[in-house]
Amino acid sequence: MFPVLLVAVDNTALTFALPAIARSLDATGLELLWIVDAYPLVLAGLLVAMGSLGDRIGRRRLLFIGSTGFAAVSAVTAFAPSAEWLIAGRAGLGFFGSMLMPSTLSLIRNIFPEPNRRRLAVAIWAAGFSGGAALGPIFGGWLVEHFWWGAILLVAVPIILPLLALGPALIPESRDPNPGRVDVPSIVLSLLVMVPVVYGIKILATHGLAAEPLAAVGFGLVMGYVFIRRQRHLLKEGQAQEVQAAQAPQGAAGQRNRTAPLLDVSLFGNRVFSTAITANVLALFSFNGFILFLAQHLQLLEGQSPSESGVAMVPALVATVVAGLLVVPLVRKVRPGFVVAGGLLLSAAGYFLVAFGDHGNGPALLLAALLVLCLGVGAAETISNDLILGAAPAEKSGAAAAISETGYEIGSLLGTAILGSILTASYQGNLRLPAGVAESAPAEATAQAGETLAGAVELAQTLPGPLADAVLAAARSAFDSGVHITAAIALVLMAGASVLAAVVLRKVPTAQ
């Protein structure tokens, strides 16, 4: 649970530090998105590879390597002198973070083979993630106010010490007895898929149609096709070698020497597995887009400090923990598919409040919407993760957990990349600064106000009262226009995911 807590605290705490980072490092809107996305981008590209590596060398061993590296890189990145340095540090954290989450989930799969105990363990695992998400803004906000934004990254060091001290004695090792060789070309291909696609999406959202981002997206999609073809080929080749090995005296050696696919695409032939993955991706896509704009709204438009905004979100994040634990006994009476669908429908209701509500009368409506959203995400994510683990054989738990976490991170990544980019583009396209700003403020400050909400708030602080109020009103209107658009997109996605889960998972029996 300590690595889970570590990753969750690091993610949410940094989100709440974005305004401070923008001011300290003079980061542009695009750089702020990369600061958020560099970590999940690298992590998502390597999760499946690390899950397979854990199956081969030992999940506990990989967990210790990742934890040590994560803490060390966090400490170095805390003192980043520029936005570029911070982006590079976040990418390094993504590399080591890719070792953590699939290791923890696959270890749970092997420690708790009995379904009901495993389901409760997954719920506690999810509760630890949500608890860390709740703790991150409070602790991180307090650190930003009393020290500086880099102190947030230093939190990784004390969190990881109990794991390194007690883990070797308390955590049992597990691995796949016949994993096959690691496929390095597939690892490279997975990165060539993720990086160009996300880069292209960012540029298209912020600068409009152009040859470069379209080419990047196209290249990534082509690499995705090549990646899938290679996985299918290696899977068929491995199956043929297994047949030959079974007929030969050296069968065991043949198993060890075969090249295993990085991604076992046969798992997606299981409708329960693939639907649960889809539900995870869509839920996290929408959730992370919500958190991205809510943190800015509370701090920049409502004037809350980072710690105050963190405390304001705690009830909703605690609701995620409660919902995840309550659905464990519920699935003994209600089919898991209907529980997942109900959770996603709750999330859709939360986005309905945001899409069609008035945000100008304080934060109460948005926080209520977050509460409803978190109840839904907590219920849906717990059961869908358990369905993913239960659909895969125990010896492939690392790969299954990695696919689950890849879906989680891809959803998070695309949520911040696509919804965040749409929000930024809508803000930039709808901002109408009042007359007189150009004569009263430096051109650089005016340009920053046109790029980010933080820039507009900082500009207003340098202007006389009436003009400052006019700038803030214009910035609020432009920002809210993007919030309504992104919430409407998330509403449609959640409603669609709910219908998909209800239809495809309806025959999954209740837990015994």
Side-chain angles (χ1 to χ4, degrees):
M1 298 307 297
F2 279 104
V4 174
L5 189 66
L6 168 67
V7 173
V9 167
D10 183 81
N11 279 348
T12 56
L14 188 72
T15 298
F16 274 75
L18 286 179
I21 291 173
R23 291 190 295 267
S24 175
L25 302 181
D26 293 325
T28 66
L30 186 60
E31 285 174 337
L32 286 177
L33 284 175
W34 273 111
I35 288 170
V36 174
D37 293 337
Y39 169 79
L41 172 62
V42 175
L43 189 147
L46 292 175
L47 270 171
V48 173
M50 293 303 180
S52 299
L53 182 62
D55 286 341
R56 181 178 181 82
I57 70 171
R59 293 136 191 164
R60 184 183 68 173
R61 177 184 296 177
L62 190 68
L63 180 65
F64 292 158
I65 294 172
S67 299
T68 304
F70 196 98
V73 174
S74 294
V76 173
T77 307
F79 301 96
S82 65
E84 293 82 2
W85 181 295
L86 182 54
I87 292 169
R90 290 282 288 168
L93 290 175
F95 175 79
F96 288 106
S98 66
M99 304 179 188
L100 300 181
M101 300 306 286
S103 297
T104 59
L105 203 53
S106 59
L107 284 168
I108 285 175
R109 173 66 175 85
N110 285 272
I111 294 171
F112 301 101
E114 198 275 319
N116 284 324
R117 287 173 60 97
R118 183 190 68 230
R119 193 172 296 110
L120 179 59
V122 170
I124 295 172
W125 177 89
F129 199 88
S130 299
L135 178 64
I138 300 172
F139 195 36
W142 184 85
L143 288 172
V144 169
E145 290 176 29
H146 291 83
F147 298 96
W148 90 112
W149 62 263
I152 292 173
L153 295 170
L154 295 178
V155 172
V157 178
I159 290 179
I160 213 64
L161 289 178
L163 171 70
L164 298 179
L166 303 176
L170 297 179
I171 302 175
E173 182 62 283
S174 64
R175 57 172 57 89
D176 183 349
N178 297 300
R181 293 195 303 269
V182 176
D183 183 32
V184 176
S186 291
I187 297 175
V188 176
L189 281 172
S190 67
L191 288 171
L192 291 177
V193 173
M194 293 298 298
V195 175
V197 168
V198 174
Y199 170 79
I201 290 172
K202 287 176 178 293
I203 300 301
L204 286 171
T206 53
H207 298 290
L209 291 175
E212 180 186 352
L214 288 175
V217 172
F219 177 79
L221 293 177
V222 170
M223 289 299 100
Y225 174 76
V226 175
F227 176 82
I228 295 298
R229 285 289 301 269
R230 180 172 179 81
Q231 304 317 297
R232 289 177 175 171
H233 171 74
L234 290 176
L235 182 63
K236 291 180 181 179
E237 187 178 78
Q239 291 171 341
Q241 290 177 358
E242 286 177 6
V243 173
Q244 296 175 357
Q247 299 171 350
Q250 68 276 19
Q255 280 276 59
R256 287 192 298 270
N257 291 328
R258 69 182 178 88
T259 299
L262 182 65
L263 179 65
D264 187 352
V265 293
S266 66
L267 288 174
F268 291 97
N270 185 315
R271 296 179 69 194
V272 173
F273 183 90
S274 56
T275 302
I277 290 289
T278 302
N280 275 359
V281 171
L282 293 178
L284 271 298
F285 175 92
S286 304
F287 179 76
N288 278 271
F290 192 115
I291 295 297
L292 182 67
F293 87 75
L294 183 59
Q296 296 181 67
H297 180 95
L298 293 176
Q299 292 183 50
L300 298 175
L301 296 181
E302 301 296 340
Q304 294 184 359
S305 67
S307 60
E308 287 173 341
S309 56
V311 170
M313 293 176 63
V314 166
L317 295 172
V318 171
T320 310
V321 176
V322 174
L325 294 174
L326 288 179
V327 294
V328 173
L330 181 62
V331 293
R332 298 185 182 183
K333 299 179 180 179
V334 181
R335 288 179 181 265
F338 296 142
V339 174
V340 174
L344 295 171
L345 200 59
L346 269 178
S347 298
Y351 288 114
F352 180 88
L353 293 175
V354 178
F356 298 100
D358 182 3
H359 309 161
N361 297 318
L365 175 68
L366 293 178
L367 292 175
L370 179 65
L371 178 65
V372 175
L373 168 70
C374 286
L375 285 171
V377 170
E381 288 291 298
T382 297
I383 302 306
S384 60
N385 273 317
D386 180 66
L387 291 174
I388 291 167
L389 288 181
E395 66 272 12
K396 298 297 182 183
S397 60
I403 294 171
S404 174
E405 288 304 316
T406 300
Y408 186 100
E409 293 300 333
I410 287 176
S412 301
L413 169 65
L414 295 180
T416 53
I418 297 178
L419 295 183
S421 296
I422 291 173
L423 179 61
T424 300
S426 178
Y427 169 83
Q428 294 173 351
N430 288 283
L431 181 65
R432 300 292 182 269
L433 291 175
V437 170
E439 293 79 13
S440 305
E444 183 178 348
T446 304
Q448 280 292 104
E451 285 205 10
T452 66
L453 178 61
V457 172
E458 192 165 340
L459 171 64
Q461 294 172 352
T462 66
L463 298 173
L467 192 56
D469 292 340
V471 168
L472 289 176
R476 174 186 284 272
S477 176
F479 188 75
D480 280 347
S481 69
V483 169
H484 286 292
I485 293 171
T486 55
I489 293 172
L491 168 60
V492 172
L493 289 175
M494 287 298 91
S498 176
V499 172
L500 177 68
V503 172
V504 179
L505 302 178
R506 69 185 187 279
K507 294 184 179 180
V508 178
T510 56
Q512 301 296 322

